[in-house]
Amino acid sequence: MKSILSPATAGATKGQAAPERAPRHGWRAVSGLSRFIGVVLMLAAVGVWLISAPLMDAQMMLLRLGVSVLFMCLGLVLLHAGRRTARDEIHLDRRAGELRHIRRGHDGIGRVRQRITLNKLTEVVIDEDRLLLRGDCGQILLELSGLERDQLLSLQKQVQSV
């Protein structure tokens, strides 16, 4: 198996600084806060109906209905906004002789999308955030973009040592 690296990656190793993504350290805190506020708003939508009032006229019922629908909708939006999106991962298993494309969902469970045997690979192109794998006849076996830079550099080192 031969490994051909793209000019962007080769230029980055000759002294040029490769562009890096901004770290996402605060994402977990914002995500957790968003989900917490979403759950609180959804509970408040139910709690509006638990408040006892001596007179239950039509205007008060309409106001409660409007507030509870507003709280429920905002809570669902914040709960959904706090979820992670699915992300792709590449795992190189030398013992099994295969490269696996795994998609990890918002629930954290990794699902194998594709398995490629290492002897079928003829070309591995790694750009800034894109991975391209070509097979024996030149067909594209896998093309992924939006991958993390450190994961691609790690894969590049592992593929070169095989």
Side-chain angles (χ1 to χ4, degrees), residues 15-84:
Q16 297 176 354
E20 294 186 19
R21 293 184 176 181
R24 297 182 291 165
H25 300 294
W27 169 248
R28 285 189 173 193
V30 171
S31 172
L33 185 65
S34 173
R35 288 182 292 172
F36 176 73
I37 292 173
V39 169
V40 167
L41 283 174
M42 290 171 55
L43 289 174
V46 174
V48 167
W49 294 99
L50 298 177
I51 299 172
S52 62
L55 298 173
M56 293 295 250
D57 56 346
Q59 289 88 11
M60 183 58 82
M61 293 292 281
L62 185 62
L63 182 66
R64 281 186 178 186
L65 179 65
V67 168
S68 67
V69 167
L70 177 72
F71 281 0
M72 188 62 76
C73 290
L74 282 175
L76 286 173
V77 165
L78 287 174
L79 191 65
H80 183 69
R83 298 174 87 185
R84 286 185 158 183

Side-chain angles (χ1 to χ4, degrees), residues 87-100:
R87 62 181 196 266
D88 294 314
E89 297 176 4
I90 300 296
H91 293 253
L92 181 65
D93 188 1
R94 291 183 187 166
R95 189 173 45 161
E98 64 184 14
L99 185 123
R100 293 185 197 103

